[in-house]
Amino acid sequence: MSLIKKVLVTTALSSFIAVSGFAADDLVKKGEKIFTTNTQGNCIACHAVNGKELDGPGTMGPVLQSLSAWPEEALYEKVYDPYVSNPISAMPAFGKNGWLTDAEIKALVAYLKTIN
């Protein structure tokens, strides 16, 4: 009986991890689309990304690098309202201005966390 329980628990956990991995991949893909689409975040218009070949000017804002080390909350806040941490930022407040929804910012953060 104990062996059967272990097998069932292991199978359930494996399925959960696989589904979570797919969900995370989908979130990253949505975030990348927001990053590169000019009718959404259009981050690519101002930011180049370390280690990624992206087709955009990316010359106004800083080159994005080492974001995988940033806490998710800090990235979220930077996108939501960059003026909190940098009052003279040229970056728009995508969340505060209502340009991106909470879910869109979370997807964007998932993508930003892939940047080394």
Side-chain angles (χ1 to χ4, degrees):
M1 191 69 157
S2 179
L3 178 62
I4 293 172
K5 274 187 177 179
K6 287 180 183 179
V7 170
L8 289 174
V9 168
T10 303
T11 303
L13 286 175
S14 297
S15 300
F16 176 74
I17 291 169
V19 170
S20 297
F22 292 133
D25 287 345
D26 286 346
L27 197 60
V28 169
K29 287 178 185 174
K30 287 177 187 175
E32 183 175 19
K33 184 175 180 181
I34 292 165
F35 188 92
T36 58
T37 302
N38 67 357
T39 57
Q40 291 185 308
N42 198 27
C43 311
I44 196 170
C46 297
H47 295 284
V49 178
N50 184 43
K52 295 190 186 260
E53 293 293 324
L54 298 172
D55 187 23
T59 57
M60 183 177 173
V63 174
L64 301 180
Q65 57 189 357
S66 304
L67 296 183
S68 59
W70 281 48
E72 290 180 14
E73 299 80 22
L75 289 171
Y76 185 96
E77 288 302 318
K78 185 62 98 171
V79 173
Y80 185 84
D81 186 1
Y83 307 112
V84 171
S85 61
N86 181 4
I88 60 169
S89 178
M91 183 171 146
F94 287 96
K96 187 176 180 182
N97 291 335
W99 295 342
L100 293 176
T101 66
D102 177 66
E104 289 169 330
I105 295 172
K106 287 178 179 173
L108 182 57
V109 166
Y111 172 68
L112 294 175
K113 292 287 288 177
T114 69
I115 299 171
N116 294 317

